[in-house]
Amino acid sequence: MKADTRVAAREDIMTSAPLSVGTRARVATVLVGLLVAALPGTPVVASARAVAPTAATATAQPRPRPPHVVGDHTVPAYSYADAIRESVWVQTRADSDGDGVPDRVAVDLVRPREAAVAGVRVPVIMDASPYYLCCGRGNEGERKTYDSAGVIAKVPLFYDNYFVPRGYAFAAVDLAGTARSTGCEDVGGPAEVGSATAVIDWLNGRARAYDAAGRPVSAAWSTGQVGMIGKSWDGSVANGVAATGVAGLATIVPISAISSWYDYMRYRGTLVATDYPGYLHSVVNGRPEEACAQVLARLRARSAEETGDYNGFWARRDYRPSADRVRASVFLAHGLNDLNVTTNQFGRWWQELAEQGVPRKLWLHQTGHQDPFDVRRAEWVAALHRWFDYWLQGLRNGVMDEPRVDLETAPGTWTTQRDWPAPGTRDVRVALGAGDGVTGTLGGRGARPGQEQEYVDESLFEDELVATPNTATAGRLVFLSGALPSALRISGSPSVRLRIRVDRPTTQLTARLVDYGTAERILLSGAGGVRTLDTESCWGASTDVDDACYRDTEEVTAVSDHAVLTRGWLDAAHHRSLRFTTPLRPDRWYTVTVPMNAYDAVVPAGHVLGLVLGQSDPQFTESTDQDATVQVDLGRSALLLPVTGSAGLPAVDVAPPVVTAPTDPSAARTPRNTRQVP
């Protein structure tokens, strides 16, 4: 920024609002030290690949550090109450509503006033969301609020409260077509991703923004270094923006986030729910209905609902193939039992990022669709603090020298490891055996080729599928290991390879891996394994309308005699490709693979591992392809299991007896809402 521009901006800041006594004192301190440190320069942009921050270029007289940096970390040095709060509208390159005017996205900013007065630029933490006004964010459903002049008063979540006093700005972005932004929400598509990307461009001087009166607004106060964070849909946007390779995005923290919208709304050719893209658009749409009617019509027409195919519509919402464009570092967090955004979303993204050498870190916890803030709060805030200090402030705090993965192995029990899947993991082929003719076996030599079993679709719910595995139940095939002689570590993505013959052009095939044995486990019903308490804790500074205090939470556990570890689905007609269907002929045998979602678990010694095969799955998907008979050639079928260490499944000829508590038939068939909101 030119010197005269900086002075003008400084005068505007100092005269726009009265400063408190405390702030004036802090400003005096800042002006002594920071004006020397804040030399003019252009915003820093990310390199072709995220790299470790370097120390300041050596000079004869090293620059003094600003007061928010002490040693290798930032500290609260600026007033949150007196922070600058403002709204701007960033102009994007899209005209998604077709009104002849480029879309403008609303950005509500909170940034430290003292640093601005001193002309010291700050990095930006950004959460781009469709939910700020329609639905709320976080465990307590917070929404944005504004004062009588339309200035942002309350920003959801703790990020601004905690990080603004530590020398960061926070940007809460309304995605195109939501809240106060123009344009139309296209559900993971180019307009959505482009609206967030435009904000990063503006923070780096490459895009225009305007205030409510239409006057141009500069982001000269920004270093241009941006870190995106968000849970679920918000984190999915961060993935999408990173996949564009936009310069200036230094890091992302996607929490329980989507990396392929096809995999969110289609389980390998099977519909999770009908009209899913249209439904999600309608939930978050902030525009008059007629303004985005054409966009809604295109969402419905182009998503190939009648076939379940992966096409160009879904390719534009699949960020994984663009992992080679990612310049930012990535800190992923996901619940291993997330039944909303399933674990293949992090697992396949993590693998693609690893192949491209992207600097990365991973947290995996035992709960469902949860933010680590509500699972392991103090440790999560500390981890975020160090991560952002390293990647946005350039502080060498050793965060990248530590184990890459934090893993919850049992309720409340955490460990670290070098990578994920666990180092030393290998895929083990586990044979399927006929057993006693009712319950098959896992392990040992298995059945001979040509030895067959069949089952007829009964549209069973999950509890019906996996309970009482030694009992003959129409609509399923069950295979059990022997009692494990030692603990078995599973780390990665299992799959089942089946040799089948089907009497219909297609059917849904499902597979579940089950841990049979009594243990204390996370109780996933209801709130996804977390209970909200009456107490609260505070994470940052507060104002009268935006406090930093949140109700505490704890994991909910219960003793159970079995648990489904991971699941997989496949529309059989998509066995060759997700891009087209190949109807099955009843006189032919086919080899198909049913991938299961990524998982990590230790199955204790003495427990029994089970594989349960079903067909149509009304609890998790919507399928009209029902009532098929499937023949399985057991000798030409197998479970592929990613395991670590030398432990394996014992050889067994007859499945051991396994007892599970009786299920309530009415509870077992309780419908689950398959049309969830990410």
Side-chain angles (χ1 to χ4, degrees), residues 205-513:
R206 301 187 300 266
R208 298 176 180 178
Y210 304 88
D211 64 15
R215 295 171 298 209
V217 181
S218 167
W221 48 265
S222 166
T223 64
Q225 292 287 81
V226 181
M228 292 186 70
I229 189 171
K231 179 193 170 190
S232 203
W233 199 328
D234 304 13
S236 310
V237 177
N239 283 336
V241 173
T244 70
V246 61
L249 182 61
T251 191
I252 63 171
V253 184
I255 302 164
S256 301
I258 295 165
S259 58
S260 164
W261 284 87
Y262 177 85
D263 282 355
Y264 182 73
M265 293 188 250
R266 307 282 187 267
Y267 288 165
R268 300 195 68 79
T270 297
L271 299 185
V272 175
T274 55
D275 192 28
Y276 213 161
Y279 168 74
L280 293 177
H281 167 92
S282 300
V283 168
V284 301
N285 179 42
R287 305 295 310 285
E289 185 175 333
E290 62 276 9
C292 296
Q294 291 186 2
V295 171
L296 179 57
R298 287 195 294 269
L299 289 173
R300 288 171 168 157
R302 298 177 180 178
S303 57
E305 185 165 301
E306 67 283 358
T307 63
D309 290 350
Y310 179 98
N311 59 13
F313 174 91
W314 295 110
R316 288 188 289 275
R317 292 161 174 80
D318 186 353
Y319 312 134
R320 298 169 193 158
S322 298
D324 61 343
R325 302 183 64 185
V326 174
R327 302 182 182 191
S329 61
V330 181
F331 187 172
L332 289 165
H334 216 102
L336 285 164
N337 292 294
D338 193 335
L339 299 182
N340 182 341
V341 179
T342 54
T343 53
N344 66 329
Q345 297 287 353
F346 94 79
R348 294 189 61 188
W349 187 225
W350 178 262
Q351 179 182 357
E352 296 288 347
L353 295 172
E355 291 176 359
Q356 298 300 326
V358 174
R360 63 203 183 281
K361 187 173 178 62
L362 176 64
W363 269 39
L364 294 175
H365 53 87
Q366 290 278 327
T367 68
H369 194 61
Q370 298 292 343
D371 191 319
F373 186 75
D374 296 316
V375 176
R376 195 188 186 202
R377 185 167 295 180
E379 293 84 354
W380 175 247
V381 174
L384 281 183
H385 186 180
R386 297 182 67 225
W387 185 263
F388 284 140
D389 276 2
Y390 184 89
W391 288 104
L392 298 181
Q393 300 277 1
L395 301 180
R396 290 184 168 275
N397 54 23
V399 70
M400 297 304 293
D401 300 324
E402 298 168 355
R404 187 171 282 152
V405 179
D406 277 47
L407 174 68
E408 187 179 20
T409 57
T413 301
W414 288 79
T415 189
T416 60
Q417 60 188 38
R418 295 198 316 273
D419 210 339
W420 193 90
T425 296
R426 68 195 192 283
D427 285 335
V428 174
R429 182 187 183 279
V430 181
L432 308 186
D436 61 5
V438 173
T439 306
T441 58
L442 281 180
R445 297 180 60 183
R448 67 182 184 278
Q451 192 170 359
E452 302 169 11
Q453 287 188 351
E454 70 175 40
Y455 63 116
V456 180
D457 182 26
E458 294 288 343
S459 297
L460 298 178
F461 278 51
E462 185 165 270
D463 283 351
E464 298 170 310
L465 271 171
V466 304
T468 58
N470 299 102
T471 302
T473 300
R476 72 178 187 183
L477 293 180
V478 179
F479 304 88
L480 299 179
S481 75
L484 299 178
S486 58
L488 177 70
R489 171 75 182 278
I490 301 169
S491 183
S493 300
S495 63
V496 185
R497 190 178 67 231
L498 299 172
R499 184 69 173 171
I500 61 170
R501 185 164 61 184
V502 183
D503 68 349
R504 302 291 174 91
T506 191
T507 187
Q508 186 179 3
L509 300 171
T510 66
R512 284 169 168 82
L513 203 61

